[in-house]
Amino acid sequence: MKIRDMLHNDTVTLSFEVFPPKREGNVEVLYATIGDLIQCNPNFISVTYGAGGSTRDMTVEIASHIKNEMDQEVLAHLTCVGSTRDDIRRILDDLKDGHLENILALRGDPPKSEGVFIKTEGGFGYANELVEFIVEYDDFCIAVAGYPEKHTEATTMADDIENLKRKVDAGADFIITQLFFINDHFYRFRDLAIARKISVPIIPGIFPLFNYSQISRIGSLCDPDIPSPLLEKLYKVRDKSEEVQKYGTEHAIRQCEDLLKNDVSGLHFCCMNKSDHVLEIIRELSFTGQKADSSDE
Ligand code: FAD
């Protein structure tokens, strides 16, 4: 099923993001984790596409397995990094063969060794070009990335919103945002998008922290604001992973409660291939998939 057909005005989708493990033997562990996650009836599972080619072949394989063997809808991430148009066409063929209907079209992060994104000769320079190519190829449902705190390479927020508009005009059906820890950033971003006549659903990305080292890793990727009281609490318990997870989970619950009161189209959790903390959040939210207004009626 196409995810665009799940996005309705009165409902909130639930989705989980996982990544292909670096070692092949760990795929079974991932499938067991997904088996746990699907207990709370997500609308779809998204599978990331490894930066720089490390795990990218596994994305299609894992996405096909989740769709065809686990009977779950999937959003397969796809990036422009290191691929020509012909390479991308072959991946689209494989996605089609695997009965996959939904793609998150991204420019991609460069491999660590390169540091900056370099367009592959015969490939694409920006995600909007990839969206155009997919639209021409076939009727996939297409998602694109949005950045509540601006993409790190964009000069201004206005430029970044203009880019988002280009991606949506090229044919994107919905937006999933970069992770954030302060909801006001998301609300401001959503207002700017609406003011720029971007009318497709925007799903916020939630990252429940469970390990202190994640803070610097996330910082190097997208540098989100983290509320100082949360940072201070996490610093005090930095060597006690259970306590870090407790504070990270509590924060994510508060964030989601507020988002659900503010008319979001969905909740998308970056699970980091772990289920217990996310299942706790969903339990605490008593998530029904209905927007606050419509369930109150
Ligand atoms: P684009 O939309 O192409 O934008 C890239 C930059 O170029 C932005 O600064 C934009 O403002 C600017 N720009 C765009 N068009 C133009 C133009 N015409 N002229 C000038 N500037 C322009 N990365 C992975 O490698 N694998 C993944 O699986 C993955 N999953 C992700 C999932 C989500 C939900 C998100 C939010 C990000 C994900 N990323 C992933 C990270 C993403 O690839 C990076 O953030 C990347 O740096 C930008 O990708 P994009 O698709 O947003 O790029």
Side-chain angles (χ1 to χ4, degrees), residues 17 47-52 77-79 81 104-110 125-129 144-147 151-155 159-160 163 166-167 176-179 268:
E17 181 175 306
V47 184
T48 67
Y49 191 82
H77 299 206
L78 175 61
T79 80
V81 177
L104 175 55
L106 300 146
R107 185 200 70 179
D109 277 330
Y126 295 109
N128 66 295
E129 299 167 17
V144 290
Y147 299 88
H151 184 258
T152 46
E153 293 164 39
T155 319
D159 284 351
D160 215 22
N163 170 49
R166 248 191 310 271
K167 294 195 278 194
I176 301 185
T177 75
Q178 185 57 278
L179 59 94
H268 182 76

Side-chain angles (χ1 to χ4, degrees), residues 220-234:
S220 68
L221 280 175
C222 59
D223 199 22
D225 276 349
I226 303 183
S228 321
L230 175 62
L231 266 183
E232 282 160 23
K233 276 201 273 188
L234 292 170

